[in-house]
Protein backbone atom coordinates (compact mmCIF):
# COMPACT_ATOMS: atom_id res chain seq x y z
CA UNK A 1 0.00 0.00 0.00
CA UNK A 2 2.82 2.39 0.89
CA UNK A 3 4.51 1.80 -2.47
CA UNK A 4 1.24 2.54 -4.28
CA UNK A 5 0.78 5.77 -2.29
CA UNK A 6 4.34 6.87 -3.09
CA UNK A 7 3.76 6.15 -6.80
CA UNK A 8 0.49 8.09 -6.81
CA UNK A 9 2.06 11.04 -4.97
CA UNK A 10 5.07 11.16 -7.30
CA UNK A 11 2.95 10.84 -10.45
CA UNK A 12 0.40 13.44 -9.32
CA UNK A 13 3.14 15.86 -8.24
CA UNK A 14 4.86 15.48 -11.61
CA UNK A 15 1.54 16.03 -13.39
CA UNK A 16 0.84 19.13 -11.30
CA UNK A 17 4.29 20.57 -12.01
CA UNK A 18 3.86 19.86 -15.74
CA UNK A 19 0.45 21.56 -15.72
CA UNK A 20 1.81 24.61 -13.91
CA UNK A 21 4.75 24.79 -16.31
CA UNK A 22 2.28 24.95 -19.20
CA UNK A 23 -0.20 27.42 -17.68
CA UNK A 24 1.60 29.22 -14.84
CA UNK A 25 0.00 29.54 -11.41
CA UNK A 26 -2.19 32.50 -12.39
CA UNK A 27 -3.12 30.90 -15.72
CA UNK A 28 -4.14 27.73 -13.91
CA UNK A 29 -6.63 29.68 -11.78
CA UNK A 30 -7.85 31.70 -14.78
CA UNK A 31 -8.66 28.53 -16.69
CA UNK A 32 -10.29 26.95 -13.67
CA UNK A 33 -12.54 29.96 -13.01
CA UNK A 34 -13.43 30.50 -16.67
CA UNK A 35 -16.80 28.74 -16.54
CA UNK A 36 -19.40 27.06 -14.31
CA UNK A 37 -17.78 23.62 -14.60
CA UNK A 38 -14.53 25.01 -13.22
CA UNK A 39 -16.37 26.72 -10.36
CA UNK A 40 -18.11 23.43 -9.53
CA UNK A 41 -14.79 21.58 -9.45
CA UNK A 42 -13.26 24.31 -7.27
CA UNK A 43 -16.14 24.22 -4.76
CA UNK A 44 -16.08 20.40 -4.68
CA UNK A 45 -12.31 20.32 -4.16
CA UNK A 46 -12.55 23.01 -1.47
CA UNK A 47 -15.16 21.03 0.47
CA UNK A 48 -13.13 17.82 0.21
CA UNK A 49 -9.85 19.48 1.22
CA UNK A 50 -11.43 21.28 4.20
CA UNK A 51 -12.65 17.90 5.45
CA UNK A 52 -9.20 16.36 4.90
CA UNK A 53 -7.42 19.29 6.60
CA UNK A 54 -9.73 18.90 9.59
CA UNK A 55 -8.81 15.22 9.78
CA UNK A 56 -5.10 15.99 9.36
CA UNK A 57 -5.21 18.59 12.15
CA UNK A 58 -6.85 16.17 14.58
CA UNK A 59 -4.53 13.33 13.58
CA UNK A 60 -1.43 15.52 13.87
CA UNK A 61 -2.46 16.69 17.36
CA UNK A 62 -3.19 13.14 18.46
CA UNK A 63 0.15 11.83 17.15
CA UNK A 64 2.38 14.80 18.03
CA UNK A 65 3.07 15.64 14.37
CA UNK A 66 3.47 19.09 12.84
CA UNK A 67 0.38 20.18 10.92
CA UNK A 68 1.20 23.67 9.63
CA UNK A 69 3.58 22.59 6.80
CA UNK A 70 0.91 20.24 5.43
CA UNK A 71 -1.76 22.90 5.85
CA UNK A 72 0.28 25.41 3.85
CA UNK A 73 1.11 22.83 1.20
CA UNK A 74 -2.57 21.87 0.90
CA UNK A 75 -3.61 25.52 0.58
CA UNK A 76 -0.98 26.15 -2.09
CA UNK A 77 -0.88 22.86 -3.98
CA UNK A 78 -4.12 21.04 -3.19
CA UNK A 79 -4.07 17.29 -2.74
CA UNK A 80 -0.28 17.10 -2.62
CA UNK A 81 -0.37 18.19 1.06
CA UNK A 82 -2.60 15.32 2.24
CA UNK A 83 -0.77 12.85 -0.01
CA UNK A 84 2.54 13.74 1.65
CA UNK A 85 1.01 13.72 5.13
Amino acid sequence: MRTLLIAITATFTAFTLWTLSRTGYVGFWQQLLDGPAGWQVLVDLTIALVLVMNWMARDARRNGRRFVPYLLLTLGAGSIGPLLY
Side-chain angles (χ1 to χ4, degrees), residues 43-64:
V43 170
D44 188 50
L45 183 60
T46 301
I47 291 167
L49 287 177
V50 165
L51 293 171
V52 169
M53 286 186 292
N54 184 33
W55 170 81
M56 283 192 311
R58 285 185 288 136
D59 187 71
R61 247 189 325 274
R62 184 173 36 245
N63 293 305

Side-chain angles (χ1 to χ4, degrees), residues 9 12 45 49 73-74 77-85:
T9 302
F12 184 68
L45 183 60
L49 287 177
L73 191 54
T74 303
S79 299
I80 294 172
L83 284 169
L84 288 174
Y85 182 81

Side-chain angles (χ1 to χ4, degrees), residues 19-20 23-33:
T19 302
L20 290 174
T23 63
Y25 199 74
V26 173
F28 175 85
W29 286 100
Q30 287 173 331
Q31 288 183 20
L32 182 63
L33 301 176

